[in-house]
Amino acid sequence: MPPLPGAERVRSAVQLYRYLLRCCRRLPEGSVRQHYRHTVRQSFKVHADEDDPERIQQIIKRAIEDADWVMNKYEKQKKRKDEDKDTVQEGKHQGARRCNWDMSAAPNVRGAS
């Protein structure tokens, strides 16, 4: 499943560039969005001299797959965050688990010589 509608219509480098920047708009604001926008720009600079149409189509396909992975990653994080938020609001959140280790049987490291 593509991250945004219209991925199947991307045929040229310019269309891919615009598509990926639109995907970046859906990412969390701040450093995450800046990182991926910078990555998109750098990738286009690196591949600017590519002439082989077959290679260009491979790059387009891979870039869309990578964008799909990134969008799914942040979508899952957002979903988990929203679920945690809902749980806290419902009063069901029990906080962090506490450590129940029994340290009485542990050897005394400081006193060992």
Side-chain angles (χ1 to χ4, degrees):
M1 175 168 78
L4 280 178
E8 64 280 349
R9 292 181 293 201
V10 173
R11 298 281 179 249
S12 70
V14 173
Q15 289 173 335
L16 177 64
Y17 184 75
R18 293 180 68 205
Y19 175 80
L20 293 175
L21 290 180
R22 281 194 304 272
C23 288
C24 287
R25 289 186 207 148
R26 296 179 59 196
L27 294 173
E29 291 184 14
S31 61
V32 171
R33 188 180 294 180
Q34 288 176 351
H35 168 76
Y36 285 106
R37 286 175 58 96
H38 177 74
T39 301
V40 168
R41 289 182 177 129
Q42 287 301 111
S43 294
F44 274 85
K45 288 178 184 177
V46 168
H47 296 291
D49 60 343
E50 192 65 56
D51 292 336
D52 182 19
E54 187 175 318
R55 176 69 178 131
I56 291 171
Q57 290 307 311
Q58 288 175 345
I59 293 169
I60 289 171
K61 182 178 182 242
R62 179 62 190 261
I64 292 173
E65 289 171 357
D66 290 349
D68 186 28
W69 183 86
V70 169
M71 298 301 290
N72 285 335
K73 172 185 169 181
Y74 285 101
E75 193 67 34
K76 286 178 186 176
Q77 282 183 1
K78 183 179 183 228
K79 186 176 180 180
R80 265 188 263 131
K81 196 178 212 181
D82 291 344
E83 287 173 357
D84 289 346
K85 186 178 176 183
D86 291 344
T87 305
V88 169
Q89 287 177 349
E90 293 172 4
K92 295 180 183 175
H93 189 267
Q94 300 194 5
R97 294 184 180 178
R98 297 193 183 258
C99 178
N100 271 342
W101 296 342
D102 181 10
M103 298 304 287
S104 61
N108 187 354
V109 177
R110 289 187 186 166
S113 300

